Amino acid sequence: MRVVIQRVKEAQVKVDGQTVGQIGRGLLVFLGVARQDTPAAADYLIKKITELRIFEDAQGKMNISVNQAGVEYLVVSQFTLYGNCDKGRRPSFDEAADPALGEELYNYFVAQLKASGARVQTGRFRAMMEVSLVNDGPVTFVIDSK
């Protein structure tokens, strides 16, 4: 599993012109699922993300964890995180999970994140989404479960 997380002041996702998920201060999480991924990969990433110290303390240093900051999450599925652009001009998505596994693990990730007590909004799996955000920093990280 791979995530791109962005610290945001606000973010939203629309499908067919309708807002399906919206947050204030928090993390926008783009989630990609690989063919070999399991629930353990999701568990690892949730622990990593929620404990990551990427919010500023009173001195302006990144010392406050996501959990401590009490922020919201917007989780958006993005299979293109496993696009391989090494050969030719068209990306290969051979490493990405098939849609059934991708949706299963996406839903598992969201459910486990909610079970941790987090306030979670989502996009819509397999939909064409419009994502907008106001980046905070910018602060962006890429994390792999491997």
Side-chain angles (χ1 to χ4, degrees):
M1 241 175 219
R2 177 174 295 151
V3 293
V4 173
I5 58 172
Q6 294 186 303
R7 195 177 70 184
V8 298
K9 293 184 178 186
E10 62 185 50
Q12 72 174 350
V13 61
K14 291 183 177 184
V15 175
D16 296 327
Q18 300 294 320
T19 300
V20 297
Q22 183 173 5
I23 63 169
R25 180 172 175 251
L27 289 183
L28 174 57
V29 179
F30 292 106
L31 175 68
V33 180
R35 287 182 299 155
Q36 73 280 3
D37 282 333
T38 65
D43 294 338
Y44 169 82
L45 285 175
I46 290 167
K47 182 170 176 47
K48 186 72 158 177
I49 292 166
T50 58
E51 295 178 1
L52 206 56
R53 297 182 342 176
I54 59 172
F55 286 89
E56 282 99 5
D57 62 15
Q59 288 74 41
K61 294 189 180 207
M62 288 189 196
N63 277 329
I64 298 175
S65 74
V66 178
N67 275 344
Q68 290 170 320
V71 298
E72 301 174 287
Y73 296 83
L74 177 58
V75 182
V76 176
S77 63
Q78 190 171 351
F79 79 96
T80 60
L81 291 178
Y82 279 101
N84 184 330
C85 299
D86 289 344
K87 295 182 180 178
R89 291 186 172 86
R90 183 175 180 196
S92 165
F93 298 102
D94 291 343
E95 290 183 50
D98 66 71
L101 177 62
E103 186 170 18
E104 176 186 332
L105 290 177
Y106 170 79
N107 289 335
Y108 177 84
F109 181 94
V110 169
Q112 293 304 108
L113 188 57
K114 285 180 179 179
S116 76
R119 295 177 309 230
V120 181
Q121 295 284 308
T122 65
R124 187 170 300 150
F125 192 84
R126 293 191 82 183
M128 180 61 85
M129 294 176 273
E130 296 174 10
V131 179
S132 60
L133 67 130
V134 176
N135 208 315
D136 182 14
V139 175
T140 304
F141 297 97
V142 178
I143 306 170
D144 286 310
S145 61
K146 300 176 194 176

